[in-house]
């Protein structure tokens, strides 16, 4: 009975450390499946394989995490790390019991088995919460996993294999106090080394990401500036010419030649009027966006829409000087909204994209409206990871947007389809509120 309770606590430690690291609820059903499967495998193989049975449990947990995330490298890493933490916690508790309470390994396995396993569980959970920030930073930066995901996976697997190889050697030799002490020092060294390497890689990646973001921001602002310069030149030309234009019309009026006046007006004046109504003049209110990063993403995406012959309009009535959201995450959200709006609008008979940035008392609302086709899929399907109307290996944008909004306590997302238009309302509050993602239509 004591062995069963100890095994249950150990399996619960493996299973519940995973959602702690992922900063994500995994659901009661999957949690019970993970716990029951791990416990069954452990009890069945422990008498035959000893500590090596944990490796079989690891394969099972990797499969469970993959079912949830659909990402192999992430699944391997997030399942292996709790195993490493459990091993480190096991030896730290054993070393602590030897030094403080003068307990041998045999005592730990006999009288104090449940107490020792409970201590391991608590220490593992504490380390998991400490590693939550580190792992969350890695997971939130997609370039990190693209560049270093395979390396990090190899590192954690090699670390775990080294741990279990030393455990196996200890089993063959008998777990003496000297063996436990030596393994504790070795495991702590490897664990600290792994953490240091991860921190260094993250710092390198974040510096590169910041440089890339600044470069992209500079390019977008340059494009926006060039657009404004062209607008200014057009205005200067019109300002210079409009007196002469009026003088040419006055001669037709003086002579009463209404037929030639009408022809002159249609051929010369109307094209100028149409030019003044072109898309270049629909970005003017962007000057009210004082956040350079937001102005950059808005201008670049709307100019792209204009180049695709989409009627793109933005309205920013009041100055927007501050948004209570990380600028990178905000730009990711706005970029996803506009990319999807442009990709859908371009297929419509009358393509249009309208953006409004509205300053409210306690929030800033970013509304993106685009024309959409009549066969637009149901809203619940649009937000599914991997679903796309644009082919295979697509469909991550809106699911990523949903995840970003879910992580932010001060952001809501409201999605609607109304009168042939797809409407997305992203609202960022000045103070944290309860997160919600509504889909109606």
């Amino acid at each position: 009975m004591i062995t069963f309770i100890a095994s249950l606590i150990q399996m619960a430690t493996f299973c519940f450390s995973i959602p702690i690291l992922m900063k994500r609820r995994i659901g009661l059903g999957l949690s019970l499946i993970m716990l029951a499967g791990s416990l069954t495998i452990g009890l069945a193989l422990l008498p035959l394989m000893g500590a090596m049975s944990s490796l079989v449990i690891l394969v099972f947990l990797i499969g469970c995490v993959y079912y949830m995330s659909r990402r192999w490298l992430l699944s391997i890493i997030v399942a292996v790390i709790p195993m490493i933490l459990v091993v480190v916690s096991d030896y730290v508790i054993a070393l602590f019991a030897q030094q403080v309470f003068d307990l041998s390994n045999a005592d730990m396995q006999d009288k104090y088995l449940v107490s020792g396993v409970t201590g391991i569980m608590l220490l593992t959970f504490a380390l998991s919460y400490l590693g939550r920030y580190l792992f969350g930073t890695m997971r939130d930066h997609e370039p990190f996993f693209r560049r270093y995901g395979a390396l990090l996976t190899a590192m954690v697997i090699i670390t775990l294999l080294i741990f279990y190889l030393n455990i196996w050697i200890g089993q063959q030799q008998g777990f003496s106090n000297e063996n436990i002490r030596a393994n504790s020092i070795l495991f702590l060294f490897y664990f600290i080394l792994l953490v240091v390497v991860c921190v260094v890689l993250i710092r390198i990646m974040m510096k590169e990401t910041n440089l890339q973001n600044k470069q992209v921001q500079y390019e977008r602002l340059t494009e926006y500036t060039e657009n404004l310069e062209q607008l200014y030149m057009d205005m200067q030309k019109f300002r210079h010419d409009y007196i002469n234009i009026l003088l040419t019309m006055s001669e037709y009026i003086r002579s009463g030649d209404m037929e030639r006046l009408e022809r002159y007006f249609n051929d010369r004046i109307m094209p100028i009027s149409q030019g003044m109504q072109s898309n270049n003049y629909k970005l003017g209110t962007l000057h009210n966006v004082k956040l350079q990063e937001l102005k950059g993403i808005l201008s670049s995406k709307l100019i792209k829409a204009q180049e695709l012959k989409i009627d793109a309009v933005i309205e920013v009535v009041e100055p927007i000087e501050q948004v209570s959201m990380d600028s990178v995450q905000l730009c990711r959200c706005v970029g996803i909204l506009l990319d999807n709006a442009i990709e859908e609008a371009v297929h419509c008979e009358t393509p249009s994209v309208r953006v409004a940035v509205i300053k409210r008392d306690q929030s800033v609302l970013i509304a993106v409206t685009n024309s959409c086709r009549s066969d637009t899929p149901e809203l619940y399907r649009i937000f599914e990871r991997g679903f796309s109307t644009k082919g295979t290996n697509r469909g991550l944008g809106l699911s990523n947007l949903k995840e970003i909004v879910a992580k932010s306590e001060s952001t809501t997302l409201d999605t609607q389809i109304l009168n042939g238009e797809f409407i997305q309302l992203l609202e960022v509050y000045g103070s944290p509120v309860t997160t919600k993602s509504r889909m109606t239509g």
Side-chain angles (χ1 to χ4, degrees):
M1 185 63 182
I2 293 178
T3 303
F4 175 79
I5 295 174
S7 299
L8 180 62
I9 294 173
Q10 187 178 32
M11 295 307 108
T13 304
F14 286 150
C15 297
F16 296 143
S17 293
I18 290 175
I20 292 175
L21 284 170
M22 294 187 71
K23 204 187 302 185
R24 175 179 176 180
R25 295 180 180 177
I26 62 177
L28 180 61
L30 184 58
S31 298
L32 293 176
I33 291 173
M34 291 170 60
L35 181 58
S38 302
L39 186 61
T40 302
I41 295 171
L43 292 176
L45 298 182
L46 186 62
L48 301 175
M49 301 176 61
M52 296 299 122
S53 60
S54 297
L55 299 180
V56 182
I57 297 172
L58 174 63
V59 175
F60 170 73
L61 292 178
I62 290 173
C64 292
V65 178
Y66 177 75
Y67 173 80
M68 177 175 52
S69 67
R70 303 296 178 181
R71 298 168 64 183
W72 276 115
L73 293 182
L74 177 65
S75 302
I76 294 172
I77 292 171
V78 83
V80 170
I81 289 179
M83 293 278 186
I84 294 175
L85 296 180
V86 166
V87 173
V88 171
S89 301
D90 187 359
Y91 275 84
V92 168
I93 293 294
L95 186 61
F96 179 79
Q98 285 180 6
Q99 300 299 321
V100 178
F101 298 107
D102 196 25
L103 296 177
S104 65
N105 188 55
D107 294 329
M108 290 289 293
Q109 295 296 325
D110 186 16
K111 299 179 182 179
Y112 303 98
L113 180 59
V114 175
S115 299
V117 174
T118 303
I120 293 170
M121 178 186 68
L122 295 177
L123 182 56
T124 301
F125 285 165
L127 292 174
S128 297
Y129 275 105
L130 289 175
R132 184 173 180 166
Y133 172 77
L134 186 66
F135 186 75
T137 304
M138 293 187 294
R139 188 193 58 189
D140 292 341
H141 286 75
E142 287 295 330
F144 182 91
F145 263 96
R146 285 198 299 268
R147 182 174 299 184
Y148 299 117
L151 174 61
L152 183 60
T153 303
M155 286 171 53
V156 295
I157 290 176
I158 291 173
T159 301
L160 186 66
L161 291 177
I162 291 173
F163 283 10
Y164 275 91
L165 178 61
N166 279 273
I167 292 172
W168 180 79
I169 293 173
Q171 283 181 333
Q172 302 304 311
Q173 297 176 350
F175 283 109
S176 62
N177 290 347
E178 291 75 14
N179 180 276
I180 293 176
R181 189 177 298 110
N183 278 353
S184 299
I185 296 173
L186 177 65
F187 291 171
L188 282 173
F189 171 77
Y190 271 107
F191 177 70
I192 294 172
L193 181 63
L194 179 63
V195 172
V196 170
V197 170
C198 290
V199 170
V200 171
L201 291 178
I202 289 174
R203 289 179 64 88
I204 293 173
M205 195 66 227
M206 291 185 70
K207 286 183 179 179
E208 292 180 356
T209 302
N210 288 335
L211 289 175
Q212 291 174 359
N213 288 339
K214 289 181 179 180
Q215 179 64 28
V216 171
Q217 178 185 339
Y218 173 77
E219 292 173 356
R220 287 169 177 166
L221 287 177
T222 300
E223 188 176 13
Y224 173 65
T225 302
E226 291 174 353
N227 193 268
L228 287 183
E229 288 177 353
Q230 182 62 44
L231 171 62
Y232 178 76
M233 291 176 63
D234 291 344
M235 293 293 293
Q236 287 292 94
K237 290 178 182 178
F238 178 77
R239 181 181 177 184
H240 181 268
D241 293 340
Y242 85 98
I243 296 295
N244 294 331
I245 292 172
L246 292 177
L247 289 175
T248 57
M249 293 177 62
S250 66
E251 183 61 27
Y252 290 114
I253 295 172
R254 188 185 63 79
S255 62
D257 193 349
M258 302 306 296
E259 181 180 350
R260 294 179 64 186
L261 174 62
E262 182 179 1
R263 189 184 315 117
Y264 178 80
F265 180 82
N266 291 331
D267 294 343
R268 300 295 181 88
I269 306 301
M270 284 303 295
I272 297 175
S273 174
Q274 292 171 358
M276 295 296 292
Q277 297 296 324
S278 70
N279 274 327
N280 287 337
Y281 296 85
K282 297 178 182 179
L283 301 182
T285 57
L286 266 176
H287 73 275
N288 281 329
V289 180
K290 306 303 181 182
L291 299 173
Q292 299 301 323
E293 300 93 334
L294 181 59
K295 179 185 289 187
I297 191 72
L298 287 171
S299 62
S300 67
K301 297 299 181 182
L302 292 174
I303 291 171
K304 174 185 175 182
Q306 293 173 5
E307 292 172 350
L308 294 173
K309 308 302 181 183
I310 297 174
D311 183 25
V313 184
I314 183 167
E315 297 179 8
V316 190
V317 178
E318 298 182 71
I320 306 297
E321 299 176 349
Q322 183 178 2
V323 179
S324 301
M325 186 178 185
D326 177 74
S327 60
V328 174
Q329 301 301 327
L330 175 64
C331 289
R332 284 183 65 193
C333 291
V334 174
I336 292 171
L337 290 175
L338 290 175
D339 282 339
N340 282 277
I342 292 169
E343 289 177 356
E344 175 62 23
V346 77
H347 295 291
C348 299
E349 183 177 350
T350 307
S352 66
V353 173
R354 301 196 307 275
V355 181
V357 185
I358 303 169
K359 186 176 181 180
R360 295 180 169 178
D361 291 339
Q362 299 294 329
S363 65
V364 173
L365 175 66
I366 300 175
V368 178
T369 303
N370 62 275
S371 53
C372 62
R373 292 166 288 184
S374 58
D375 59 347
T376 301
E378 296 86 348
L379 289 176
Y380 76 90
R381 296 191 64 200
I382 291 174
F383 285 90
E384 292 177 355
R385 178 171 289 273
F387 175 82
S388 175
T389 60
K390 303 183 284 293
T392 58
N393 298 321
R394 305 291 296 274
L396 297 179
L398 288 176
S399 65
N400 288 341
L401 172 64
K402 187 177 179 182
E403 289 182 4
I404 295 171
V405 171
K407 293 175 186 176
S408 175
E409 297 181 351
S410 60
T411 307
T412 64
L413 176 63
D414 191 356
T415 304
Q416 305 174 24
I417 297 178
L418 186 64
N419 298 328
E421 292 185 324
F422 193 84
I423 305 169
Q424 297 255 58
L425 304 176
L426 182 72
E427 188 161 10
V428 183
Y429 291 84
S431 56
V433 297
T434 303
T435 302
K436 49 187 175 179
S437 179
R438 304 185 302 272
M439 292 180 285
T440 59

